[in-house]
Amino acid sequence: MKSTLLILLIYLPISMFSQEIKSLEFKELQKESLNSGDSLMVYNFWATWCKPCIGELPYFEKANTKFSDQHVKVILVNLDFNSKVNDVTIPFIKQKNIMSKVYHLTDTDPNEWINIIDPSWSGAIPATVMYQNGEKMYFKEGQVTEQELFQEIEIILEQFAKNHESKD
């Protein structure tokens, strides 16, 4: 009895705070990015089989924490095969204790939406895109550094603050 209680006390907090995954189609993701309001939406496209993607995930987790009180929302958009979500993606998210929102795109043909994100995107991952007020503010195909990610977020937030000051 005591050992069962101890196991529950050790693992319960992890399962309580680990992020779950939301499956959706691209059109739902697109609608969210266009209706973001004043929030800066930071989307990172990644997969569990992509080593550079895994390498940069901690930067997005830090950004999610660091900028959470500044209307910045980090969303990790998972591109694993639909058949791998339950057996690979969800356990990965729990094991890594990912706290950012995680979406899984269920569309089976990425060619239908890649050019909508950015016409220069070849479809390679990782890729990062940022939207504010429905406008694309930043796009990068390839891995970002922590410094680059934070710097881009800060630049966009500064621009937004300046634009708001000039309107007042």
Side-chain angles (χ1 to χ4, degrees), residues 28 53 56 89 120 132 141 150 156:
E28 295 171 81
C53 299
E56 69 179 10
T89 312
S120 69
Q132 192 166 41
E141 178 176 333
F150 287 17
I156 294 168

Side-chain angles (χ1 to χ4, degrees), residues 38 42 51 59 73 75 129 144 157-158:
D38 290 346
V42 179
K51 189 172 182 176
Y59 312 148
K73 296 179 181 174
I75 299 170
V129 64
V144 296
L157 292 175
E158 285 174 23

Side-chain angles (χ1 to χ4, degrees), residues 21-24 78-82 85 102-106:
I21 191 167
K22 177 181 177 181
S23 293
L24 70 160
N78 177 266
L79 301 177
D80 284 340
F81 292 114
N82 292 335
V85 172
V102 180
Y103 293 166
H104 171 74
L105 283 188
T106 57

Side-chain angles (χ1 to χ4, degrees), residues 44 46 52-62 76 92 98:
N44 177 253
W46 68 286
C53 299
I54 303 309
E56 69 179 10
L57 281 178
Y59 312 148
F60 288 92
E61 284 293 279
K62 286 181 186 177
L76 305 174
F92 177 87
I98 302 288

Side-chain angles (χ1 to χ4, degrees), residues 66-77:
K66 180 177 180 175
F67 298 104
S68 64
D69 62 343
Q70 298 176 52
H71 299 287
V72 174
K73 296 179 181 174
V74 174
I75 299 170
L76 305 174
V77 183

